[in-house]
Amino acid sequence: MKKAWLYAAAITYTLLSGCGLTDTPNELMRAPSADGDQQSINQAVMQFLPPGSQLTVPLHPDESSAVSLQDLNGDGSPEVTAFYKSEKTDYEIGVLILSQKQGSWSKVATYTGIGSELDYVQFLDMTGDHIPEMLIGFGGGNDLNKELSVFSLAEGSLKELLKQTYSVLAVGDLTGDDQAELALVIHDHNNLTSQAQIYGVSHDKLDKIAELALDGGVNGYEQALIGKASEKQNGLFVEAGLGAHSASTDLLLLENGQLRNPLAKVEGQMDLTFKPYPLYSEDINGDGIIEIGVSTQPKGTDDLPMAAIPWISSYYRWDGAFGLTHVEDHYQNYGNAIDFRIPKKWGDRYTIEIGQESDSPIIHLLYFDEETKAKAELLALHTIPQKSWSQVEDQLKQKHAPYVLLKEEGKQVLVAISPQGTPDLDSASLQKYKAMLLTQDEIRQLYRPLRIPL
């Protein structure tokens, strides 16, 4: 399910990536080593591409490319794999595999898949023989299930090891044995059924090793991710869209050949991972463990309509049992690609307000006393058009306003402005407020550009 609210805000970013077409393989090739002559590869790919075809870039994962250099048969010499679309049809995607012997390129194998977009491409050893298989996902557009094919290259031809529909997929080490597993989440919109399927090595071949029924009444599944759920255990994080925009996260663990969800909703109790808007799981603090995102409403915003609430992105870690442990909070603004980590010293004595400016509303991070309702500005984040920045900068300097320039590239400038003067607070509140003020170094460390999920 595509998230209209997010994609509308991030449209300028998504246009810069994705399943684009290009006439040449330049700057689209990722190789595991420096082997091979770039010019020779470019010429070979263009020579063997069918007339009227253009290279196409996979949507996922982010580092995928239209042309890859991989040793697919274990002979020590890498093959070139290229993905392309024909101008003659919108529903076919071609795969071209080339090899080089004694300086001459030849076509090893080709394959044509059905789909309007190349959703996924990955090269990984899925069978334990230390030779990568080729995973290719073909998509037909929004809200339609996709189809994954897993191929091996043997004796000069492609062998299809698996073909399965999927809504979202993930590849990674789910069991902690350093061998990659494949996770597919399949949602049947018509029959309102869903399940997670895990594929791994069984009797020296790729086979289904576990499955678990999921909630089939959801709107759709948006992302799957395999990563560390704790220091000692890996897990599968599955993001589900519920209503018009609400969402939740399933954490699936593979134990003794069985999948289980330790955070499954208990009848009559609150869903621990429910969120009013999608917020994907990620390793938010760089400690190697995946955190689950849950949207939190800032204090003092109960009177705002839902769409106007400046939601806080709260991230939690699985506690190893049946609950979650809070890790940290962020304010994330998709329209301006802002990710500002809330400092721990603020505790729960803060709120967020969005200004009424029509062109680029200022984001106000405020001290907030829940008992007295007293507020005082701690920081203002202001996005300014590049063409207006010099004028605004002059005004800030004239006022001697302390500010930090956080982002200057592109068409917009992001500046963090610290408050001046002493706010009208009682002595106890003023002491707490002063302890919450940020230095310029702290501001720089707390900010990072927001990674837009695609």
Side-chain angles (χ1 to χ4, degrees):
M1 182 184 73
K2 299 294 184 182
K3 304 171 292 302
W5 66 273
L6 189 155
Y7 278 82
I11 189 67
T12 55
Y13 297 89
T14 55
L15 288 175
L16 299 178
S17 60
C19 192
L21 295 175
T22 179
D23 292 321
T24 68
N26 286 323
E27 299 180 358
L28 286 176
M29 188 183 75
R30 291 184 181 270
S33 68
D35 295 339
D37 174 58
Q38 180 71 59
Q39 184 177 359
S40 173
I41 293 172
N42 290 352
Q43 291 174 348
V45 170
M46 300 313 297
Q47 174 188 347
F48 286 98
L49 274 184
S53 298
Q54 290 181 309
L55 295 172
T56 185
V57 181
L59 289 171
H60 307 103
D62 292 342
E63 67 271 14
S64 298
S65 68
V67 180
S68 295
L69 197 61
Q70 301 279 344
D71 181 6
L72 297 176
N73 56 11
D75 66 355
S77 298
E79 284 74 36
V80 168
T81 303
F83 302 93
Y84 62 91
K85 292 188 71 173
S86 172
E87 296 176 349
K88 298 178 181 179
T89 174
D90 291 331
Y91 291 95
E92 288 186 354
I93 295 174
V95 183
L96 172 66
I97 300 178
L98 308 176
S99 68
Q100 187 183 42
K101 291 184 179 179
Q102 297 178 348
S104 178
W105 288 96
S106 61
K107 182 165 60 177
V108 176
T110 61
Y111 179 82
T112 301
I114 304 301
S116 60
E117 60 187 20
L118 186 57
D119 179 69
Y120 187 89
V121 169
Q122 185 70 278
F123 299 89
L124 277 176
D125 172 21
M126 301 300 303
T127 59
D129 62 358
H130 306 293
I131 300 173
E133 277 70 44
M134 182 167 53
L135 290 74
I136 309 176
F138 302 97
N142 294 351
D143 300 322
L144 295 176
N145 274 333
K146 309 167 187 73
E147 187 170 74
L148 176 74
S149 289
V150 180
F151 295 98
S152 65
L153 182 64
E155 299 179 357
S157 63
L158 287 175
K159 179 182 179 182
E160 192 170 51
L161 306 181
L162 174 70
K163 176 176 281 191
Q164 180 59 272
T165 59
Y166 70 97
S167 301
V168 292
L169 67 80
V171 180
D173 180 9
L174 191 54
T175 60
D177 62 356
D178 296 324
Q179 171 64 47
E181 281 80 35
L182 166 66
L184 301 179
V185 178
I186 307 159
H187 181 214
D188 187 330
H189 289 266
N190 296 325
N191 296 314
L192 298 180
T193 60
S194 297
Q195 63 177 200
Q197 298 181 350
I198 308 300
Y199 292 82
V201 179
S202 177
H203 300 98
D204 298 324
K205 68 176 184 176
L206 182 64
D207 204 355
K208 184 165 61 177
I209 59 175
E211 64 182 346
L212 179 70
L214 301 178
D215 185 359
V218 302
N219 276 3
Y221 288 93
E222 299 173 356
Q223 177 176 282
L225 172 68
I226 293 176
K228 295 191 71 172
S230 67
E231 289 285 355
K232 299 180 180 180
Q233 191 162 10
N234 295 352
L236 170 65
F237 299 80
V238 181
E239 312 295 341
L242 302 181
H245 42 66
S246 58
S248 67
T249 302
D250 288 318
L251 169 59
L252 305 184
L253 307 174
L254 183 59
E255 299 173 338
N256 300 317
Q258 301 290 322
L259 282 173
R260 72 177 183 96
N261 182 359
L263 303 178
K265 182 181 178 181
V266 178
E267 189 68 30
Q269 297 184 14
M270 183 183 67
D271 184 352
L272 292 177
T273 67
F274 174 84
K275 58 211 83 178
Y277 292 98
L279 184 58
Y280 290 168
S281 303
E282 63 172 301
D283 179 10
I284 193 67
N285 60 353
D287 65 352
I289 298 174
I290 304 298
E291 284 79 35
I292 293 174
V294 177
S295 302
T296 305
Q297 185 170 355
K299 295 180 181 297
T301 61
D302 293 339
D303 295 334
L304 293 178
M306 191 168 184
I309 296 172
W311 295 95
I312 299 165
S313 299
S314 298
Y315 289 90
Y316 294 82
R317 177 190 300 176
W318 176 50
D319 65 4
F322 303 101
L324 295 170
T325 300
H326 180 257
V327 175
E328 60 189 35
D329 293 333
H330 290 237
Y331 173 71
Q332 298 174 329
N333 185 294
Y334 286 93
N336 295 318
I338 295 171
D339 187 339
F340 190 84
R341 176 164 51 89
I342 304 300
K344 290 189 180 299
K345 69 180 181 180
W346 285 9
D348 61 354
R349 298 185 302 275
Y350 75 94
T351 191
I352 301 173
E353 292 182 358
I354 307 298
Q356 300 301 311
E357 298 84 3
S358 58
D359 52 348
S360 181
I362 299 175
I363 301 161
H364 300 276
L365 306 176
L366 308 169
Y367 166 83
F368 180 65
D369 186 314
E370 198 165 11
E371 290 186 8
T372 66
K373 309 304 179 185
K375 299 178 183 178
E377 184 142 287
L378 293 163
L379 195 68
L381 300 176
H382 194 182
T383 301
I384 303 159
Q386 179 72 254
K387 60 183 179 181
S388 304
W389 168 236
S390 60
Q391 180 181 353
V392 174
E393 186 178 31
D394 288 342
Q395 294 172 355
L396 291 172
K397 289 179 177 179
Q398 290 174 9
K399 297 176 182 178
H400 301 288
Y403 70 90
V404 177
L405 187 60
L406 297 176
K407 183 181 68 175
E408 193 173 8
E409 70 276 5
K411 296 182 179 180
Q412 293 182 321
V413 170
L414 175 63
V415 60
I417 305 171
S418 298
Q420 292 177 285
T422 303
D424 185 15
L425 297 171
D426 61 51
S427 58
S429 295
L430 184 60
Q431 184 176 3
K432 295 175 183 177
Y433 166 81
K434 288 182 177 180
M436 293 169 65
L437 291 172
L438 302 173
T439 66
Q440 292 195 346
D441 283 342
E442 286 176 320
I443 294 170
R444 292 188 184 95
Q445 293 170 6
L446 293 169
Y447 164 78
R448 70 177 185 184
L450 180 64
R451 295 189 292 268
I452 305 296
L454 299 175

